[in-house]
Amino acid sequence: KKVLALALAAALALSMVACGSSEPAAPAEPEVTYKTGLGTVISVSKTNEDVEAEKGASAQVNTTIVAATFDSNDTIVSVDIDVAQQKASFDLEGKLAGAVDLRTKIEKQGDYGMIGASAIGKEYFEQIDALEAWMTGKTLAEVTGMPTYERDANHTACPDVEELKSSVTITVADYVAALEEAYNTAIETKGVPAKTG
């Protein structure tokens, strides 16, 4: 009887251990869908030639570029902002006068020269870094709904956001518009977000 009782107890103990170790399989996580797109906003400004002052005309093209990745909740996973700002000068005969710097604002880094005129002592690329960091993790609606204010005639849509007051004083309207275009033209990628840059 003792041997039978011990055998039954051992069998019961083994079955309890077996039951305890067989946890139900975790449900498979849903596959995350990402969307990556590119948006641009282009503007052109020019001056007329001044024959009396022997001064030719000039033209400047600003191409704002935003590459962004969004998740299935329209949250910004990554965003990269840059501006190709090229200025060309012409002589009185209409010929190109001098070389054109083809670098973007980000490529110029400190050569862009904003820090001297910045009220917060930050160069352009530093302000863009701060803006990108603020946008990341927010939804498209939160970014497009960002309150802005007019600082002067050349800065008509500066961020009126507490977190950005000490880091971003540039006008952001074109960046937001290019971000919207990036969203509207985005292509879906499943599982792994595309890398923007």
Side-chain angles (χ1 to χ4, degrees):
K1 288 183 180 179
K2 287 182 180 179
V3 172
L4 181 61
L6 286 172
L8 287 173
L12 182 61
L14 285 172
S15 66
M16 289 179 67
V17 170
C19 289
S21 64
S22 61
E23 296 178 3
E29 291 188 12
E31 190 173 39
V32 181
T33 300
Y34 297 94
K35 296 184 293 187
T36 297
L38 182 71
T40 57
V41 173
I42 302 171
S43 63
V44 180
S45 60
K46 65 182 181 65
T47 63
N48 291 324
E49 63 181 10
D50 187 342
V51 177
E52 291 183 3
E54 295 187 352
K55 183 180 179 181
S58 65
Q60 180 171 292
V61 179
N62 298 314
T63 306
T64 300
I65 309 154
V66 175
T69 297
F70 308 84
D71 67 13
S72 54
N73 297 315
D74 292 346
T75 300
I76 298 166
V77 176
S78 68
V79 59
D80 288 278
I81 299 170
D82 204 347
V83 176
Q85 183 182 69
Q86 277 78 47
K87 183 174 182 178
S89 297
F90 303 89
D91 62 22
L92 293 174
E93 296 178 359
K95 295 177 182 177
L96 193 62
V100 178
D101 189 344
L102 297 178
R103 293 178 297 167
T104 68
K105 287 186 178 184
I106 296 296
E107 289 172 333
K108 289 177 182 176
Q109 292 285 290
D111 290 344
Y112 184 66
M114 175 183 279
I115 196 166
S118 171
I120 57 173
K122 291 192 181 293
E123 187 53 79
Y124 176 83
F125 71 91
E126 296 175 297
Q127 297 200 34
I128 289 299
D129 284 347
L131 182 62
E132 291 170 347
W134 179 84
M135 287 179 171
T136 302
K138 290 182 172 54
T139 64
L140 178 66
E142 287 174 322
V143 174
T144 57
M146 174 198 321
T148 60
Y149 70 97
E150 183 174 337
R151 183 158 59 92
D152 55 47
N154 295 319
H155 301 85
T156 57
C158 298
D160 194 7
V161 178
E162 195 61 39
E163 306 98 286
L164 296 178
K165 285 187 176 176
S166 63
S167 57
V168 181
T169 58
I170 53 180
T171 194
V172 297
D174 285 351
Y175 307 133
V176 173
L179 178 70
E180 281 191 277
E181 184 180 336
Y183 175 81
N184 291 332
T185 61
I187 296 172
E188 285 192 357
T189 58
K190 292 189 175 181
V192 181
K195 181 179 179 182
T196 58

